[in-house]
Amino acid sequence: MDSSPDLKRLHRFIGSRVRELRRELDLSQDRLAARAGMHRTWVGVVERGESGTTVDSVAALCSALGVSLAYFFSPMTETLDIRGPQRGRRPKRSSEP
């Protein structure tokens, strides 16, 4: 998995944003997790920025927090340099026999 500085910054941003919005609503991690249909310990992992999470999970958290994905990410104004995983890519086929 890519462990670029920008990827780690993204994980920390998502975590701090979840924590910020959760606290604004005066929700515990348990309550947020129940609303989002996930385990409390996973909410803690996300909030600490210890691991990346899927778009589906971020969307579930946004729904539980009552915000759109656009609003959730609106404070992030910079472009990050993040590349997808390099998984067993096949060499390009030559058009010549």
Side-chain angles (χ1 to χ4, degrees):
M1 170 173 264
D2 187 353
S3 61
S4 74
D6 280 354
L7 186 60
K8 290 177 183 178
R9 284 176 41 218
L10 177 62
H11 295 170
R12 285 192 305 268
F13 168 82
I14 290 170
S16 64
R17 188 71 169 140
V18 168
R19 180 178 286 130
E20 171 190 357
L21 295 170
R22 176 180 63 78
R23 287 181 174 168
E24 284 178 10
L25 294 173
D26 197 30
L27 291 174
S28 66
Q29 286 182 346
D30 284 324
R31 187 75 179 127
L32 176 59
R35 284 185 177 189
M38 52 185 65
H39 198 276
R40 176 194 54 80
T41 58
W42 181 245
V43 172
V45 167
V46 170
E47 283 191 359
R48 290 187 301 274
E50 293 176 353
S51 179
T53 188
T54 65
V55 173
D56 296 1
S57 292
V58 174
L61 288 165
C62 286
S63 178
L65 292 164
V67 300
S68 68
L69 282 166
Y71 179 78
F72 182 86
F73 284 106
S74 64
M76 179 166 274
T77 58
E78 62 189 293
T79 300
L80 301 175
D81 183 20
I82 299 173
R83 311 232 187 273
Q86 302 294 314
R87 296 186 186 157
R89 295 196 177 195
R90 292 185 195 172
K92 215 174 187 183
R93 282 188 167 179
S94 171
S95 58
E96 297 177 26

